[in-house]
Each structure stands twice: as C-alpha cells, then as structure tokens.
Amino acid sequence: MTGQPPDDGADRALYEPSDVMPPAFWAFHELYHQAYFEYAYVQLGDQISADRLVDQTFVFLAVIWQQATSRESVEAFAWRLLKERVAAELADQGRDPAAKETLAFERAIRAACDPILDSFRSEFRAQVTELEDGMGLYAAIARLPERQFDVMVLQFALGFSTKRTALVMGVCEATVRSTRRAAKCRLAADLGLQFGEDTDDEE
C-alpha cells in the first residue's frame, strides 16, 4: 500500500481530522483498511489501482456510515461493497472478475498451495506425491465457489487467522471453519482424494 491519500478533494477529506465522522468509523478504517488492500491487490494485480479502490470504498462508507451501521453486520456489508467494487473494476477493464490472469492472483494461489499441500500431505502422504508441483491444486482452488475461494485466499495466501478472516468477512469463526473445511473437502474430491470431515482443526 502506498499510504498516500488520493488526489481527489472529496477523498482527501476522509484523511483529514474531522468532527463529522465518529470514532467508530476511524476504528473500522484502522482495523480493515490493510486487509481490504491486500485482497484488492490480489484481485487487481496493481498496487496503485488497489490502493485507490480501497480508499474510494472507505470514502463511500464514510458518506453512508449511519446506514451501514444500521445493518446487521457492518463488516459483512463493507466486505460485499469491496468485492462489488473489485468486480466492477475488473469488468471495466474487460477482465474476468475472478482475476485468474493477474500475476498477483497467481502469486496468491501459489502461496496458498504450499500450506494446503502440507495439510494434505499429513492426511494422504503418498497419495499427494503427484500434486507436488501444485498445478492440480492451483486449478482446483481457482474453481472454488466465491466464499470458499475467499476463505482460502485470506487464510492460506494472505496468512490471516480464523478470527481475522471472520472479522474481515463479517461472519462468525464457525462459518470460516466450516467454509474452509468444505473448500478442502471439495479440493480433495476434485483431486481424487478422500478428505475426512473432522480433520480440519486449523485456527
């Protein structure tokens, strides 16, 4: 992240001390800005674009903060907003919202493959030998449903804990665990492996 405020005057206002925005907004900004940037960077593959998109997302959140906080989960609302903006940016560029062609996406998936392979090796040992290059797993991760993909990227590629992932996505930790387990079961099935339902105890 560049850490530089956007050039737009309205965007600059977000970064200037103001009595208008409540402390809760600034606490939210402090807690999630970096996580949003890292996810946007994985998807967009460009640091400047990701930085600008996340800054603009927080500007919009500031404008509708009262409405956002009236939602059941402001975290879940903001996460959906970020993902919609990322998808719109990719669509404007004529790219697949899954962003599978970006170098950042490829790096993220490859980074996620190693710890997942380690986990699978402990379960399947010799059966995983043919997956050592990670290519089969790479393709399988790219085919995961959206929420399962997000959990795998946040936890395995970006290194977020279960608690941090739950906070960023605006869901409970049990949802993250069950989604991660479902993703790993789906990956194992896609790779012709049998993955036990009660083996996923990572935090």
Side-chain angles (χ1 to χ4, degrees), residues 53-116:
L53 184 144
V54 173
D55 285 339
Q56 291 172 349
T57 299
F58 274 100
V59 168
F60 183 72
L61 275 174
V63 171
I64 63 165
W65 184 246
Q66 186 172 358
Q67 174 189 344
T69 53
S70 69
R71 304 290 180 119
E72 182 177 350
S73 169
V74 65
E75 289 85 2
F77 174 75
W79 179 247
R80 286 194 301 272
L81 179 64
L82 173 72
K83 288 174 61 63
E84 287 169 3
R85 285 171 171 258
V86 168
E89 176 70 18
L90 289 167
D92 286 347
Q93 296 177 12
R95 292 158 56 190
D96 186 330
K100 295 178 178 60
E101 73 277 16
T102 70
L103 291 176
F105 178 92
E106 182 174 351
R107 285 197 301 270
I109 295 300
R110 291 188 181 279
C113 280
D114 286 340
I116 295 172

Side-chain angles (χ1 to χ4, degrees), residues 113-161:
C113 280
D114 286 340
I116 295 172
L117 276 173
D118 288 342
S119 175
F120 278 13
R121 286 189 194 101
S122 67
E123 292 296 320
F124 308 113
R125 296 179 177 83
Q127 298 181 55
V128 186
T129 302
E130 67 272 20
L131 302 178
E132 288 299 322
D133 63 3
M135 293 309 295
L137 183 57
Y138 174 95
I141 292 174
R143 291 192 294 269
L144 287 173
E146 183 179 4
R147 176 174 280 191
Q148 292 180 15
F149 171 82
D150 285 348
V151 167
M152 299 306 267
V153 168
L154 290 172
Q155 290 215 263
F156 290 100
L158 299 181
F160 290 8
S161 67

Side-chain angles (χ1 to χ4, degrees), residues 158-180:
L158 299 181
F160 290 8
S161 67
T162 296
K163 180 177 181 179
R164 178 73 167 152
T165 299
L167 287 172
V168 168
M169 295 180 67
V171 298
C172 66
E173 291 181 46
T175 295
V176 171
R177 292 190 187 96
S178 64
T179 301
R180 184 180 63 226

